[in-house]
Amino acid sequence: MNERPSVLLVDDARDMLELLRRNMAAMGLTPFAANNVVDAIEVLGNSPVDLVITDLNMPGIGGLQLVKYLSQHHPGLPVLVITGYPDLNNAVEVMKLGALEYLVKPFTQDELQKAVENVLGARVTAPPTPEDTPATFHGIIGRAPSMAELYRTIDRTRNNRATVLITGESGTGKEMVARAIHYNSKWSAAPFVAVNCGAIPDQLLESELFGHVKGAFTGAITNRAGFFQAADGGTLFLDEIGNASPAVQAKLLRAIQDKEITMLGATKSQKVEVRLISASNGDLPTMVRQGTFREDLYYRLNVIHMQLPALRQRTADIALLVEHFNARFSKELGKAPLRFPPRILATLEAYSWPGNVRELENLVHRLVIMKDRTVEMDDLPAHMKMQAPQSPPTSTLTTLADVERQHIQRVLDATGGNKTKAAEVLGIDRKTLREKLKGVEDQTIRK
Ligand SMILES: Nc1ncnc2c1ncn2[C@@H]1O[C@H](COP(=O)(O)OP(=O)(O)OP(=O)(O)O)[C@@H](O)[C@H]1O
Ligand SMILES: [Mg+2]
């Protein structure tokens, strides 16, 4: 896999950091993000960085100090300084210290790109062409440009323990990607431990993660290690991180900052070395804005961000996935693979896949069990055929949320209101369906 340059972004302003992150990813660079200088220096210590883009005015330690630090500890590392306050003295000083470019806010996307290209020179790589893209990476199937970018970003985490936040709809492969990050890394022989923060009751999560000593609470009859200790040396995957309580959030922050944890009821802390990967299909930035998720922890968990595309955003991969699951399940069942005629594939490509790859996987599994040779239109569930390929008149075009609501309603009607069955058909879990149903019911009430 050809390496692409990585860039460390340092800015205390959330919007600016996200904007930079998007722009750098669009330019084909792997962005690492930090919202203060201390975190930035930590990222530099354990990640390969080819370029630093830093804000100048930040609370606490300013960008100027970072530039100084870089000139001493990373001489030759290109630095691009951004600031909202043009000040000639500052400009001269940062240039003397080795910053190569100086960009004054507000700047356009073009100006930013030019500045980055100037600083990096020929190192900015052209976006990969489809032929360069492998169709699979550690079991993940997909050849879409968004998937190619994902594989490259995963590969950039191979030799460092930078935290990774994976976001994406249900069934887009978040857990799969977490595993790929671990097994592609140089710590692949160490444990990979997955914890579903949404499935463990609030009061238990803290002791499950950090462990407890005998007598810490009623029922704690022996010392018990937590998931952090179990994952020591490897990777801890925190699924549905948005469910972590304020107490757990505070302890996680400490674990990341100090690389040590304290068991419940213990007086002494202990060192742990783990890479934290978190996943969320909720909207963490909204939770941060609403004050239910700590902003400092959000940044600490989000040094590298991987946003997984929904299946309907990479329809060209559907045939590839069908072929993959068809081969796998028919082999498992000792049958010859099924034939999927072009009309069937076109119907699958036109469908919206609210349950993403998991929904497709379940469908192919069912078909391989039920059918022997060729898949016919009648074999597809009715709700899939309703979205059969045809271009609707613009007046009937509707929002994605509406399509999803209508689709859920149709499936519910078809299953006689049985939510467990409906969730299975949709390829989502019951909890997700319940959340989505809130939307359906709200809508119905308003009508
Ligand atoms: N790109 C992919 N290639 C092959 N299989 C995939 C891919 N993405 C997802 N899958 C399969 O789809 C199923 C769901 O994947 P996974 O559990 O990783 O999704 P998720 O994003 O964690 O979903 P949820 O939000 O519901 O927990 C798994 O069986 C996985 O093997
Ligand atoms: Mg998952």
Side-chain angles (χ1 to χ4, degrees), residues 174-175 237 239 358:
K174 295 185 290 297
E175 177 147 5
F237 174 50
D239 207 353
R358 185 185 290 114

mmCIF file of all heavy atoms in Angstrom, residues 174-175 237 239 358, ligand 2:
data_model
loop_
_atom_site.group_PDB
_atom_site.id
_atom_site.type_symbol
_atom_site.label_atom_id
_atom_site.label_comp_id
_atom_site.label_asym_id
_atom_site.label_seq_id
_atom_site.Cartn_x
_atom_site.Cartn_y
_atom_site.Cartn_z
ATOM 1 N N LYS A 174 -18.210 -0.956 11.653
ATOM 2 C CA LYS A 174 -17.354 -0.267 12.627
ATOM 3 C C LYS A 174 -16.503 -1.254 13.427
ATOM 4 O O LYS A 174 -15.310 -1.055 13.600
ATOM 5 C CB LYS A 174 -18.216 0.587 13.572
ATOM 6 C CG LYS A 174 -18.910 1.730 12.838
ATOM 7 C CD LYS A 174 -19.665 2.640 13.781
ATOM 8 C CE LYS A 174 -20.904 1.983 14.371
ATOM 9 N NZ LYS A 174 -21.930 1.616 13.378
ATOM 10 N N GLU A 175 -17.128 -2.333 13.881
ATOM 11 C CA GLU A 175 -16.367 -3.310 14.669
ATOM 12 C C GLU A 175 -15.315 -4.001 13.799
ATOM 13 O O GLU A 175 -14.195 -4.265 14.227
ATOM 14 C CB GLU A 175 -17.321 -4.338 15.280
ATOM 15 C CG GLU A 175 -16.569 -5.409 16.039
ATOM 16 C CD GLU A 175 -17.325 -5.930 17.256
ATOM 17 O OE1 GLU A 175 -18.474 -5.530 17.471
ATOM 18 O OE2 GLU A 175 -16.729 -6.748 17.983
ATOM 19 N N PHE A 237 -11.515 -1.823 22.478
ATOM 20 C CA PHE A 237 -12.518 -1.247 21.577
ATOM 21 C C PHE A 237 -13.766 -0.891 22.375
ATOM 22 O O PHE A 237 -14.434 -1.771 22.920
ATOM 23 C CB PHE A 237 -12.845 -2.248 20.467
ATOM 24 C CG PHE A 237 -13.976 -1.813 19.574
ATOM 25 C CD1 PHE A 237 -13.999 -0.549 19.001
ATOM 26 C CD2 PHE A 237 -15.029 -2.680 19.284
ATOM 27 C CE1 PHE A 237 -15.045 -0.142 18.168
ATOM 28 C CE2 PHE A 237 -16.075 -2.293 18.450
ATOM 29 C CZ PHE A 237 -16.084 -1.012 17.893
ATOM 30 N N ASP A 239 -17.262 0.217 22.148
ATOM 31 C CA ASP A 239 -18.374 0.376 21.214
ATOM 32 C C ASP A 239 -19.460 1.214 21.892
ATOM 33 O O ASP A 239 -19.626 1.143 23.100
ATOM 34 C CB ASP A 239 -18.913 -1.023 20.861
ATOM 35 C CG ASP A 239 -19.559 -1.030 19.501
ATOM 36 O OD1 ASP A 239 -19.717 0.036 18.896
ATOM 37 O OD2 ASP A 239 -19.917 -2.141 19.030
ATOM 38 N N ARG A 358 -24.736 -5.309 6.998
ATOM 39 C CA ARG A 358 -25.320 -6.405 7.760
ATOM 40 C C ARG A 358 -26.636 -6.863 7.118
ATOM 41 O O ARG A 358 -26.909 -8.059 7.016
ATOM 42 C CB ARG A 358 -25.556 -5.994 9.205
ATOM 43 C CG ARG A 358 -26.058 -7.180 10.039
ATOM 44 C CD ARG A 358 -26.424 -6.816 11.460
ATOM 45 N NE ARG A 358 -25.249 -6.495 12.268
ATOM 46 C CZ ARG A 358 -25.015 -5.292 12.745
ATOM 47 N NH1 ARG A 358 -25.843 -4.300 12.481
ATOM 48 N NH2 ARG A 358 -23.959 -5.078 13.481
HETATM 49 MG MG MG B 2 -20.959 -2.652 16.115
#
